Amino acid sequence: MSSKPKIGVYICHCGINIAKTVDVEELTRYAVKLPNVRVARDYSYMCSDPGQLMIREDIRKNGLNRVVVASCSPRMHELTFRKALVEAGLNPYYLEIANIREHCSWVHKDKQEATAKAKKLLQAAVAKVRFLEPLQEKEVDVEASALIIGGGIAGIQASLDIANAGFKVYLVEKTPSIGGRMSQLDKTFPTLDCSACILTPKMVDAASHPNITLLTYSQVESITGYVGNFQVKVRKKARYVDFSKCTGCGLCAEECRLADRVKSEFNMGIGNRSAIYLPFPQAVPAKYTVDPHSCLFLTRGKCGKSPKCVEACPAGAVDFEQKDEIVEFKTGTVIVATGFDVFDAARKPEYGYSDYDNVLTGLEMERLISSSGPTGGKLVLGKGDGEYVPKEIAFIKCVGSRDKSTGNEYCSRVCCMYTAKLAHLVKDKLPEANVRIYYMDVRAFGKGFEEFYDRVRREGVRYIRGNPSEIFKRNGKLVIMVEDTLTAKPLEDEVDMVVLAVGLEPRRDAREVIDLLRLSQSSDRFFLEAHPKLAPVDTATEGVYLAGCAQGPKDIPDTVAQAKGAASSALVLLSSGKVKVQAQISWVNEATCRGCGYCVEICPYTAIELVSVNKMGHEVNVARVNEALCKGCGACAAGCLSGSVQQKSFMDSQILPQIAALGGKS
Amino acid sequence: MPDLEKLRALAKETISRDDIKCLIGWRPGTYGYRTSPHFVRSPEDADQLIFSPLCSSNLATYLTLAEKRPVPRGAQPDTRKVAILVKGCDSRAVVQQVAEQGIKREAVYVIGCPCEGIIDLRKLEDKYPHTLERVEARWENGKISLDLPGGRAVFPREEIVAGKCLTCRYPNPVIADVTVGEDVEVRGSAGFEDINWLEVKNAQERWAFWRDKVNSCLRCYSCRNVCPMCYCEECILEKQNPAWIQRSVNISENTAFQLARAFHLAGRCIECGECERVCPVEIPLTHLNRKLVKEVSEQFAFTPGVDPEAKPLLVGYRPNDKEDFIL
Amino acid sequence: MSEKFEPNVVAFLCNWCSYAGADLAGTSRIEYPPNLHVIRVMCSGRVNPLFIVNALQQGADGVLVSGCHPGDCHYMEGNFLARRRFALMRELLNFVGVDESRFNMSWVSASEGAKWKDVVTGVVNNLREAGAFTEFPRKKIDW
């Protein structure tokens, strides 16, 4: 039991912010008379050094053991004053703040009324502080490793940063190769760097880094535990290729009975691959994978007399006996870099994406125009003998972005510039082609964007403001119905090809990640950051960070910047090796706990469990709080029927006196 | 109406089992219409067992009341099962206790007794006051017959059973390891006619009603003690540190006590009506409980005490729970 | 009554949304009636419904509980749990004849300083109509 309360009350004028509306002298005279108050003082700026010194000296000289500060919101200076208590040798949780600025002097005009209210708020704070108990801030060790989910540029960058700082990284990628969306791009705006040229060195670095364990073709099955101590289970899907034997020579793919007959995901379905495949030539790891959904042997149990890939492989690496493997490890932090999916253009049926061959999405165009793409970079339409070069090419922007009818109100932030880039590339390859872009607005906000937009226009790309209403086919040509809203003229534009600048959407399997980590989604369905401005890479789950388009649409530089931000946040934890856990957490009085488990069910963090204890020879269940998991919301305390669960600093015995003080007439 | 001989035979057989330490049932009381709980520990004890429209008490209360005495060093606690006779409502108490881990399902052996309604002794005493000789009662073709000192009397069920039985939707036990007697017809309506009349009054009238009732509360805590769902080791409403409610008996503390008691039963009350039955000053406590039963059912489509696997109501939520009252 | 009755309101605000929203009202100098006094809790899920009964006993004429909008809870679910508890407590109070104006609940986010003012003003105005809480306040014996 702590000693008898000796309370010091400190009333801040906040310049005139408080003193103008609240009679601080009167308040000070009132405070001295409150029970257990030893000293009450007022000062112009309590948060200043002299103000804090006043508190520290009183604690030392007058033996104060509780402090009430009547000042601004505790959300502002609670930590400041806690530090002052610590410096004076007092437990920092012996502090209570009466908010007489934001909740009083700033919102009321009448000095008498405001002073009366301030008295009550102060009285409530004094009533509570008497019952506060000292709390200890505990620390738990941080496992010196990070889990990165998603092997795109965000995940790769974050992995490299953390690994270079000397910590172990587990990089988990769902597909057979890292590289992500960036590997599918041809050039990058606005500098026109070759995407692969700048990405592949990083992919190779990540794969060869001694601190990085690459888990491709793998999915996280479960994550339990808490900041500093996550237990992770990863399913390594069977590749049916012995990783250690495969040399990546590609003979298997050449011999495959389905060679060039399976749609290539990497090429967005406009090129083909084999059933045993490398997603793209620069794939990392450069190891082949058997696609279980198309492989004849795996789907039908039979592939001729024997699978040709097995025969073709000189290293004997193909192994149809392979099974999924579960890998388990511990990590201190998690970075979610799961990226995005592109908008499904079929959801805008008026643009005929499902009906007409020559209506492509931006990403398909990207593959078509890429020198590593199915046509080797030749911009041609049709197949075989019917191959021809398009002359009239139109782009339509904001397909699936800024469009309430598709449920996507947001701007995808990259389409304006990738459209400009693709238009430039078209002009580069086909100088004779007529290129126009239908747009609502042009948002060229980034570094070098406006200049690039200007350049593209000077190259002869026409920008026509209008949102096309329909695309149909007439005489073998695509006809775009649109109103030029600058001249208010309806147009029927006949073209050879239409590129839909589809927007970015959350991954369709985002739900799985949410369930793994208890993440939240913002209204645009991307993962929700802890604070939109001040904690843009953090999540509500401590130790879990966001990077890249999983958090919202962004371009490559922003993605890399955020990945570096997430990595540095993770490194703060990893390098300190310790993490402080909330002190104002829940606590169970096991003597009165009836073991009903209400709190266990209520807790959103699974921080409470029922444990069996021996009470006088009987095995009975009682609730117990895992101090590292508890976030201190107190929902369990309000749900406990016997009052056995209490939230420290917000206990019933501390709140009831507050209610009594506020209910009474002052 | 179960055959008493069969019931006693079953009880004898049950108590003779090695894994059962005690059987809780009813026996005639010392006088008049009274019945008592009966703790059968040997086959001979079973001869006194009865089950009749006078067996009002909800024996499930005793399951959680069992005192856990210190086990001497070296000895093992007696973990044998307790067998218990339950009516429909009583069985819901057992289910709810299991659902919230007050007892373990495997720690009880439930003997179900389908029930056609329990006599409200107040109604009977109005008709035949000061009856001292033991009276027997039985269900007969939807009526209740009594062997009174003056001869046999037969009443229509509706005239003499407790209010809770008129609204009862679970006359047949919802769990039982074995059942005595045939299942009976469900007569209670799913409506809330019993409280609608009070709900339609205005706030002043409702308060006037409750003020008069709660004013007479003695704070004897019988309502809480008898409740099968009130089994905290230490009731927060009696704690002095912190003191949620002061000990003085006045309208303020009495009202707060009754509101808190009712609220602690929100989503848990199984409508056995014991609180009201034992109230010495006849506060219509089931009205408070029934109001919450109604809200729990209408707002959250939840019925406590029917599924031992069900999560308790107030530990969860649905994202689309009603919130028209929120500003 | 010649003099206008001024109610006394006790409010429970969650730290992350409603308390911050009330702070914002302050920072934005949005004026509202001085009748309401705030108790800060970390989450509306911490507010035991029995606090409401207690506040009425202790002399409050009305009570307000305010939390984050559904889906915005800092602790993910606290406001949902609170919503259920208070839906029932509200009905119970109402059933014993406590005027509806005495218990209020609101969702106020950290950016809704203006809404906070509207909530406070509305609650206080309704209570001015309803008058003092006389049903079961604790009698204070002052020696």
Side-chain angles (χ1 to χ4, degrees):
Chain A
M1 194 65 205
S2 44
S3 54
K4 200 164 171 272
K6 292 175 211 152
I7 306 169
V9 176
Y10 298 89
I11 295 156
C12 183
H13 300 193
C14 195
I16 57 160
N17 278 308
I18 292 171
K20 197 177 115 191
T21 334
V22 171
D23 184 340
V24 285
E25 284 84 23
E26 167 66 17
L27 195 58
T28 313
R29 285 193 293 277
Y30 172 78
V32 193
K33 288 184 245 156
L34 291 170
N36 303 99
V37 172
R38 280 293 169 87
V39 49
R41 299 183 201 279
D42 60 289
Y43 186 67
S44 52
Y45 287 102
M46 223 66 216
C47 60
S48 67
D49 279 347
Q52 293 187 48
L53 185 68
M54 190 187 278
I55 299 175
R56 293 203 301 266
E57 290 204 330
D58 276 351
I59 293 173
R60 291 203 191 95
K61 286 190 192 145
N62 296 328
L64 299 182
N65 56 18
R66 302 282 196 289
V67 173
V68 170
V69 182
S71 61
C72 53
S73 171
R75 295 168 52 84
M76 198 79 154
H77 273 310
E78 193 169 47
L79 284 179
T80 313
F81 292 117
R82 276 201 190 140
K83 275 184 198 146
L85 265 63
V86 172
E87 282 165 25
L90 199 58
N91 187 285
Y93 292 91
Y94 276 139
L95 170 77
E96 185 63 21
I97 291 192
N99 183 348
I100 59 166
R101 194 179 75 174
E102 281 86 344
H103 287 194
C104 189
S105 72
W106 275 354
V107 289
H108 309 312
K109 284 226 174 82
D110 185 296
K111 196 161 186 173
Q112 219 180 337
E113 283 176 357
T115 307
K117 178 171 173 182
K119 281 183 184 173
K120 267 201 166 181
L121 295 175
L122 182 65
Q123 194 195 348
V126 170
K128 180 177 180 185
V129 84
R130 296 162 62 193
F131 295 97
L132 285 181
E133 288 176 5
L135 306 183
Q136 303 311 321
E137 288 170 344
K138 290 188 187 159
E139 289 184 328
V140 295
D141 289 338
V142 173
E143 184 74 27
S145 65
L147 163 69
I148 318 265
I149 309 175
I153 182 59
I156 292 170
Q157 186 61 53
S159 300
L160 286 172
D161 283 7
I162 294 173
N164 285 337
F167 296 96
K168 181 114 196 73
V169 173
Y170 297 91
L171 176 55
V172 178
E173 165 60 38
K174 189 169 65 173
T175 69
S177 169
I178 57 171
R181 293 291 181 199
M182 188 175 168
S183 64
Q184 292 179 283
L185 307 181
D186 180 32
K187 301 276 194 300
T188 57
F189 62 78
T191 50
L192 299 173
D193 292 283
C194 153
S195 187
C197 313
I198 55 178
L199 175 64
T200 38
K202 285 197 184 279
M203 290 162 63
V204 173
D205 279 358
S208 59
H209 202 293
N211 283 342
I212 299 181
T213 303
L214 203 55
L215 296 162
T216 49
Y217 207 51
S218 300
Q219 268 182 291
V220 181
E221 289 248 298
S222 72
I223 301 178
T224 55
Y226 47 89
V227 55
N229 294 279
F230 294 105
Q231 314 270 351
V232 186
K233 258 191 207 166
V234 174
R235 175 178 296 272
K236 273 178 86 173
K237 292 177 278 187
R239 283 174 184 261
Y240 306 105
V241 171
D242 188 327
F243 215 78
S244 56
K245 291 182 188 159
C246 175
T247 59
C249 68
L251 288 172
C252 52
E254 283 171 25
E255 292 301 320
C256 175
R257 287 198 165 81
L258 293 178
D260 218 22
R261 284 166 63 189
V262 181
K263 286 216 153 147
S264 155
E265 298 85 356
F266 180 76
N267 284 326
M268 298 309 290
I270 57 173
N272 288 341
R273 58 167 170 84
S274 316
I276 184 164
Y277 68 110
L278 200 60
F280 55 101
Q282 305 93 325
V284 171
K287 310 279 178 184
Y288 278 71
T289 305
V290 178
D291 173 5
H293 303 295
S294 55
C295 170
L296 294 173
F297 188 74
L298 288 172
T299 54
R300 301 185 193 167
K302 189 164 175 255
C303 174
K305 279 202 182 112
S306 74
K308 283 208 161 186
C309 49
V310 178
E311 290 169 16
C313 181
V318 181
D319 171 14
F320 282 105
E321 298 296 304
Q322 216 176 58
K323 294 272 177 303
D324 288 5
E325 195 187 323
I326 300 288
V327 185
E328 290 187 49
F329 51 88
K330 281 180 84 178
T331 71
T333 72
V334 179
I335 295 177
V336 179
T338 48
F340 65 93
D341 273 325
V342 293
F343 175 77
D344 176 9
R347 280 164 57 201
K348 295 285 282 180
E350 60 269 34
Y351 290 160
Y353 173 74
S354 316
D355 305 327
Y356 312 127
D357 288 343
N358 297 341
V359 179
L360 303 184
T361 66
L363 201 51
E364 287 165 357
M365 183 66 169
E366 204 70 65
R367 294 314 305 149
L368 186 60
I369 216 161
S370 167
S371 49
S372 71
T375 61
K378 274 195 295 172
L379 181 48
V380 290
L381 297 174
K383 280 201 179 82
D385 293 341
E387 210 174 84
Y388 65 101
V389 176
K391 179 137 197 326
E392 303 291 332
I393 300 172
F395 289 83
I396 300 175
K397 293 213 288 190
C398 294
V399 178
S401 311
R402 306 175 68 200
D403 181 357
K404 282 187 187 168
S405 73
T406 61
N408 296 345
E409 263 193 270
Y410 54 86
C411 165
S412 291
R413 296 180 91 240
V414 291
C415 325
C416 279
M417 294 320 290
Y418 86 60
T419 307
K421 173 199 72 181
L422 289 172
H424 162 82
L425 295 176
V426 170
K427 284 302 264 184
D428 196 37
K429 295 198 186 233
L430 308 171
E432 298 306 309
N434 292 318
V435 181
R436 65 287 239 163
I437 296 174
Y438 291 101
Y439 72 102
M440 289 202 280
D441 296 289
V442 174
R443 297 186 167 175
F445 49 82
K447 191 170 177 177
F449 287 12
E450 186 66 29
E451 296 90 323
F452 185 70
Y453 165 50
D454 197 45
R455 169 182 168 183
V456 172
R457 274 186 303 169
R458 277 190 279 109
E459 285 169 356
V461 173
R462 280 197 304 141
Y463 275 75
I464 303 169
R465 206 185 82 177
N467 207 355
S469 57
E470 197 186 351
I471 295 172
F472 57 90
K473 214 158 190 176
R474 190 166 62 202
N475 307 328
K477 294 261 186 186
L478 293 165
V479 182
I480 302 173
M481 299 283 290
V482 62
E483 184 194 325
D484 180 341
T485 54
L486 290 181
T487 59
K489 260 194 253 163
L491 302 175
E492 284 192 15
D493 189 7
E494 283 198 2
V495 296
D496 299 313
M497 133 179 235
V498 176
V499 179
L500 304 175
V502 287
L504 275 46
E505 281 197 328
R507 283 278 185 196
R508 314 225 199 283
D509 54 4
R511 188 78 243 166
E512 291 173 25
V513 182
I514 289 169
D515 292 343
L516 277 178
L517 286 161
R518 293 171 161 258
L519 297 178
S520 308
Q521 287 168 294
S522 39
S523 55
D524 56 13
R525 309 181 317 282
F526 288 97
F527 296 142
L528 180 69
E529 61 280 5
H531 188 283
K533 295 183 179 59
L534 301 178
V537 304
D538 305 60
T539 67
T541 312
E542 220 183 321
V544 177
Y545 307 98
L546 301 174
C549 291
Q551 181 258 343
K554 50 181 70 67
D555 62 7
I556 295 167
D558 284 3
T559 294
V560 172
Q562 201 187 17
K564 285 182 159 289
S568 100
S569 294
L571 283 170
V572 170
L573 269 179
L574 295 174
S575 58
S576 79
K578 299 260 181 204
V579 59
K580 259 195 191 155
V581 298
Q582 254 304 338
Q584 296 176 324
I585 54 172
S586 290
W587 162 85
V588 179
N589 181 353
E590 292 186 3
T592 57
C593 174
R594 66 186 211 174
C596 65
Y598 272 34
C599 51
V600 177
E601 296 285 346
I602 286 171
C603 180
Y605 301 98
T606 56
I608 312 184
E609 56 179 352
L610 285 182
V611 295
S612 181
V613 296
N614 190 310
K615 274 190 189 172
M616 302 289 215
H618 298 272
E619 290 296 320
V620 294
N621 279 343
V622 293
R624 195 168 282 168
V625 178
N626 181 328
E627 298 191 342
L629 281 178
C630 177
K631 297 273 181 286
C633 67
C636 48
C640 177
L641 296 176
S642 63
S644 302
V645 187
Q646 291 292 333
Q647 184 192 1
K648 292 174 181 175
S649 287
F650 295 92
M651 297 178 35
D652 292 343
S653 57
Q654 295 157 348
I655 294 177
L656 288 171
Q658 268 180 303
I659 299 176
L662 294 183
K665 312 273 176 257
S666 63
Chain B
M1 177 80 195
D3 184 331
L4 274 190
E5 288 316 310
K6 272 190 194 159
L7 173 68
R8 287 170 187 164
L10 175 70
K12 281 184 187 172
E13 184 194 316
T14 306
I15 197 63
S16 308
R17 282 168 50 168
D18 289 340
D19 61 338
I20 295 201
K21 63 177 160 194
C22 174
L23 181 147
I24 313 175
W26 300 273
R27 66 175 158 83
T30 42
Y31 68 97
Y33 320 113
R34 304 287 156 173
T35 57
S36 296
H38 185 42
F39 295 83
V40 176
R41 295 179 195 282
S42 67
E44 301 80 70
D45 292 346
D47 288 329
Q48 285 176 281
L49 278 177
I50 57 163
F51 179 58
S52 79
L54 292 169
C55 296
S56 44
S57 52
N58 181 347
L59 304 173
T61 301
Y62 296 103
L63 291 176
T64 53
L65 271 186
E67 194 184 343
K68 291 202 162 85
R69 293 210 187 87
V71 179
R73 203 172 302 237
Q76 289 300 315
D78 187 350
T79 53
R80 289 175 297 163
K81 288 174 199 275
V82 174
I84 183 168
L85 301 192
V86 294
K87 306 187 288 290
C89 47
D90 310 344
S91 76
R92 290 181 64 198
V94 176
V95 170
Q96 186 61 20
Q97 286 170 347
V98 170
E100 54 186 58
Q101 312 191 50
I103 51 169
K104 291 198 174 74
R105 176 65 184 90
E106 60 272 20
V108 275
Y109 183 74
V110 182
I111 303 173
C113 305
C115 160
E116 291 176 73
I118 293 299
I119 293 172
D120 182 342
L121 286 193
R122 291 192 179 108
K123 290 180 184 168
L124 198 54
E125 275 164 355
D126 283 347
K127 297 178 198 288
Y128 305 99
H130 315 303
T131 305
L132 290 178
E133 288 99 306
R134 268 194 199 164
V135 172
E136 283 184 15
R138 67 188 67 79
W139 293 282
E140 274 177 10
N141 311 320
K143 292 192 165 65
I144 291 175
S145 85
L146 289 150
D147 296 328
L148 289 155
R152 197 155 165 265
V154 179
F155 296 97
R157 178 181 171 276
E158 286 66 31
E159 194 180 321
I160 201 166
V161 297
K164 60 149 179 173
C165 301
L166 295 173
T167 54
C168 175
R169 284 155 295 140
Y170 297 93
N172 300 306
V174 293
I175 49 165
D177 294 301
V178 56
T179 304
V180 188
E182 301 297 314
D183 273 6
V184 298
E185 180 194 342
V186 179
R187 292 194 178 86
S189 86
F192 289 89
E193 298 80 13
D194 51 325
I195 52 168
N196 288 347
W197 66 273
L198 185 51
E199 282 183 301
V200 297
K201 289 183 185 289
N202 68 32
Q204 284 82 18
E205 290 168 332
R206 285 197 299 271
W207 172 246
F209 173 83
W210 285 111
R211 184 193 53 216
D212 290 348
K213 305 287 180 193
V214 175
N215 225 349
S216 57
C217 174
L218 307 171
R219 299 275 293 290
C220 65
Y221 299 123
S222 297
C223 49
R224 183 202 62 197
N225 293 350
V226 78
C227 177
M229 300 324 301
C230 284
Y231 52 89
C232 289
E233 302 239 352
E234 192 185 354
C235 177
I236 69 158
L237 302 180
E238 266 191 294
K239 266 186 196 168
Q240 287 307 296
N241 184 22
W244 284 87
I245 291 171
Q246 292 178 356
R247 283 191 173 157
S248 45
V249 177
N250 55 48
I251 187 70
S252 178
E253 309 304 332
N254 293 359
T255 310
F257 170 73
Q258 288 302 349
L259 287 174
R261 190 196 63 79
F263 188 78
H264 270 193
L265 289 170
R268 304 173 64 237
C269 175
I270 46 79
E271 304 170 68
C272 67
E274 287 289 88
C275 46
E276 181 168 318
R277 180 179 70 85
V278 300
C279 179
V281 293
E282 304 190 13
I283 304 174
L285 294 170
T286 50
H287 285 4
L288 286 179
N289 298 345
R290 284 278 289 168
K291 172 63 181 171
L292 285 174
V293 167
K294 178 182 172 192
E295 295 303 326
V296 164
S297 157
E298 288 178 359
Q299 291 193 39
F300 309 117
F302 184 83
T303 309
V306 291
D307 175 7
E309 304 286 316
K311 264 196 194 181
L313 176 78
L314 289 182
V315 304
Y317 64 90
R318 286 204 201 101
N320 58 350
D321 279 344
K322 174 181 112 146
E323 61 166 34
D324 52 9
F325 65 99
I326 296 176
L327 301 171
Chain C
M1 233 189 283
S2 56
E3 205 183 319
K4 200 171 68 173
F5 166 72
E6 286 298 336
N8 178 20
V9 189
V10 174
F12 297 88
L13 267 58
C14 81
N15 180 59
W16 306 98
C17 291
S18 294
Y19 197 92
D23 276 0
L24 179 66
T27 320
S28 320
R29 312 296 201 277
I30 301 174
E31 201 187 339
Y32 56 79
N35 309 51
L36 180 139
H37 306 89
V38 171
I39 292 176
R40 182 174 70 112
V41 287
M42 295 314 280
C43 177
S44 54
R46 168 66 190 97
V47 186
N48 190 325
L50 302 187
F51 285 154
I52 312 307
V53 178
N54 193 265
L56 291 173
Q57 269 194 290
Q58 304 261 28
D61 299 303
V63 184
L64 170 71
V65 175
S66 190
C68 308
H69 286 272
D72 291 355
C73 178
H74 185 76
Y75 304 103
M76 297 183 288
E77 303 173 351
N79 53 356
F80 285 128
L81 292 161
R83 184 172 64 183
R84 261 199 178 181
R85 293 170 182 155
F86 288 109
L88 293 176
M89 181 44 100
R90 180 174 169 275
E91 292 294 345
L92 183 62
L93 285 171
N94 199 357
F95 186 62
V96 297
V98 175
D99 192 84
E100 282 194 347
S101 62
R102 307 227 181 260
F103 172 66
N104 302 276
M105 190 162 180
S106 62
W107 304 140
V108 175
S109 80
S111 61
E112 292 178 325
K115 181 174 177 184
W116 172 245
K117 172 219 157 128
D118 292 344
V119 167
V120 177
T121 314
V123 166
V124 169
N125 282 343
N126 288 341
L127 285 166
R128 280 180 182 144
E129 289 282 311
F133 178 72
T134 54
E135 280 84 352
F136 58 91
R138 199 171 264 171
K139 278 212 189 80
K140 297 213 169 113
I141 304 162
D142 219 355
W143 323 32

